Amino acid sequence: PQGWKEVQELRLTGWLGGSVAWGPDGKALVVGGSGGHVRAFDTTTWKAAWDHEGGGKFAAVAVAPDGKLVDDFFIRRADR
């Protein structure tokens, strides 16, 4: 859309991102994705602040309102 400008491209080598959440102060961006990967980026440098691999098929992420907790939800396939 008009008015949007790409600021940064984040490289996620070996996995696909699909869920993102901003920290409440805008200084962190957390990405969850395939293989249960979760990575937090410092938005002032766009460098990875930390990584976590929790397993599962896909990790969705959410950041607590105070910014002190990141929840990751792992989606797994269950057969009946």
Side-chain angles (χ1 to χ4, degrees), residues 3 5 10 13 20 24 27 34 37-38 42 45 47 49 64-65 68 71:
K5 180 181 174 189
L10 303 175
T13 305
V20 296
K27 294 181 182 178
S34 63
H37 284 89
V38 178
D42 177 330
T45 64
K47 292 184 180 180
K68 295 180 180 180
D71 281 333

Side-chain angles (χ1 to χ4, degrees), residues 1-79:
Q2 186 176 359
W4 288 78
K5 180 181 174 189
E6 184 177 297
V7 176
Q8 184 67 33
E9 177 182 315
L10 303 175
R11 298 197 183 266
L12 307 173
T13 305
W15 60 284
L16 298 172
S19 174
V20 296
W22 288 96
D25 60 4
K27 294 181 182 178
L29 178 67
V30 181
V31 180
S34 63
H37 284 89
V38 178
R39 182 173 294 160
F41 291 91
D42 177 330
T43 61
T44 60
T45 64
W46 292 107
K47 292 184 180 180
W50 54 264
D51 287 285
H52 175 71
E53 187 174 345
K57 298 290 183 188
F58 184 83
V61 293
V63 179
D66 65 4
K68 295 180 180 180
L69 179 68
V70 173
D71 281 333
D72 50 4
F73 307 91
F74 298 102
I75 300 168
R76 293 182 175 90
R77 182 179 163 202
D79 292 328

